[in-house]
Amino acid sequence: MATKVCLVTGASSGIGHATALELLRAGHVVYGAARRVSKMEPLRAAGGQVVELDVTKEADVNEVVRVILAEQGRIDVLVNNAGAGLHGSVEEVGLDKARSLFDVNVFGPARLTQLVLPHLRKQGSGTVVNVSSIAGEIALPLGAWYYASKHALEAYSDTLRQELSPFGINVVLIQPGIIKTEFEHGTSDELREVSGKGAYHNVAEAMAKQAESQGDKGSSAVVVARAIRKAVESSSPKPRYAVGYLAKTILWMNRLLPDRIYDKVMTGRLN
C-alpha cells in the first residue's frame, strides 16, 4: 500500500500518541503535533516527525501545515484528535470555559481542516479523521458543554463528508467509549471542584466515584489507534467507527430506547 503523509494532533499522549505510533508501524510518514513537545520523544525515537502545535493558535496551525507541505509536498491524512474535557453543572460552569472548550474541540479541527482541504482537493484524494466520542451522540449529567462540543463536531463532520465526497476525500468519525488515557484522570477532581459543594453535590459525587471505578475497565488507546489506521488505509471507510469499552452498547441503547427510559437507565444509579 502507498505510503501516506499523516498529521496527527494531540500526539503527546493517549489516543493521539497511540495513533501516531500505529501509523508509523504501518510504514506511513507521520507528523505528531501537540503542545507538549517533550512528551513526544518516544514518537521521535520511533521515526516520527514532531511539531509543536496549539490548535487554538492561528500561527501554530498555519506553521504546521506549511512545514509539512514544504518537507513532503503533500498531506494525505489529517487526524484531528486534540481535545479537552469540561465537567460540572450547566448552572455552575462559566461560559468563558465553555467557549474555550469549543475553541479546542470544534474550531481547532475546523481551522486545520480548512487549511488542508485545498491540497487534498488538488490531489483528488485524502482522509480527514475527526476523533469524537460516544459523547457525540449521547448526553449525561454534568458534562453538557463537552457533549455539546462533540455533538457539534459530529454534525460538522457529516456535512463535511457530504461536501467532500465528489472530490474523492473521505471523512471519518471515531467514537471511542471508555478509554484508559490521561484525558480521564482529572474528571473526578473537576466534578467535585465545580459541582461538589452546591445543589448538585449528590450527583457530582456519584459521578466522580463512577469515573474512578471505571478507570481500570477502559480499553487501551491502541484499540482506537487500530480503528483509525483501518479507516486511513481503506479506500472506502465507514463514516463512523465506535470502538472501545461500552461504546457500541451505549450507542445502541441511545438509538433504541425512548428518551425518558434512556435517562432512567443511565442516571438511575446517580440519584
Side-chain angles (χ1 to χ4, degrees):
M1 193 182 70
T3 298
K4 297 185 178 184
V5 178
C6 310
L7 169 59
V8 181
T9 69
S12 61
S13 64
I15 291 171
H17 187 70
T19 298
L21 291 175
E22 182 72 19
L23 293 173
L24 273 173
R25 284 191 290 267
H28 301 295
V29 176
V30 177
Y31 284 75
R35 292 177 300 167
R36 300 177 297 177
V37 175
S38 61
K39 299 273 287 186
M40 293 190 287
E41 284 308 314
L43 177 58
R44 194 195 304 272
Q49 304 296 316
V50 171
V51 289
E52 185 175 359
L53 172 67
D54 180 336
V55 297
T56 68
K57 294 182 177 179
E58 188 82 9
D60 281 14
V61 173
N62 287 328
E63 179 63 10
V64 165
V65 173
R66 186 198 68 77
V67 166
I68 297 174
L69 290 173
E71 294 179 355
Q72 304 296 332
R74 62 186 294 125
I75 296 177
D76 301 297
V77 176
L78 169 61
V79 180
N80 284 312
N81 168 74
L86 182 60
H87 301 89
S89 73
V90 171
E91 185 175 346
E92 294 166 308
V93 172
L95 292 185
D96 56 336
K97 291 185 177 180
R99 292 188 185 97
S100 295
L101 184 77
F102 266 69
D103 209 13
V104 176
N105 288 1
V106 182
F107 298 116
R111 183 58 184 142
L112 260 175
T113 301
Q114 281 186 329
L115 289 173
V116 169
L117 283 184
H119 306 284
L120 299 186
R121 282 193 298 100
K122 184 178 179 180
Q123 295 166 191
S125 65
T127 303
V128 177
V129 178
N130 289 329
V131 179
S132 178
S133 165
I134 55 173
E137 291 191 35
I138 71 165
L140 291 171
L142 307 190
W145 291 113
Y146 177 69
Y147 292 105
S149 72
K150 292 301 185 180
H151 276 63
L153 181 64
E154 297 230 354
Y156 165 86
S157 300
D158 285 337
T159 291
L160 191 66
R161 185 181 67 250
Q162 295 164 4
E163 291 178 354
L164 298 183
S165 178
F167 301 105
I169 302 169
N170 297 312
V171 177
V172 175
L173 276 160
I174 304 294
Q175 298 175 305
I178 300 171
I179 308 297
K180 289 185 284 190
T181 69
E182 289 182 14
F183 189 82
E184 301 292 341
H185 287 177
T187 298
S188 57
D189 289 342
E190 188 175 38
L191 284 165
R192 290 179 175 123
E193 179 182 347
V194 177
S195 295
K197 299 179 179 64
Y200 305 92
H201 68 276
N202 286 339
V203 66
E205 184 59 29
M207 292 196 72
K209 289 179 178 177
Q210 181 173 300
E212 290 166 349
S213 67
Q214 285 181 337
D216 294 334
K217 299 177 182 177
S219 299
S220 167
V222 174
V223 173
V224 186
R226 288 172 180 164
I228 293 174
R229 174 186 169 185
K230 181 178 180 180
V232 165
E233 294 182 343
S234 172
S235 60
S236 183
K238 296 187 296 185
R240 282 172 169 80
Y241 291 79
V243 292
Y245 182 61
L246 291 181
K248 293 180 181 178
T249 300
I250 293 176
L251 290 176
W252 175 82
M253 290 171 58
N254 182 63
R255 294 164 184 170
L256 183 67
L257 297 176
D259 289 347
R260 293 196 183 280
I261 294 177
Y262 173 83
D263 290 349
K264 289 181 179 179
V265 170
M266 298 301 290
T267 66
R269 292 172 296 171
L270 303 176
N271 299 316

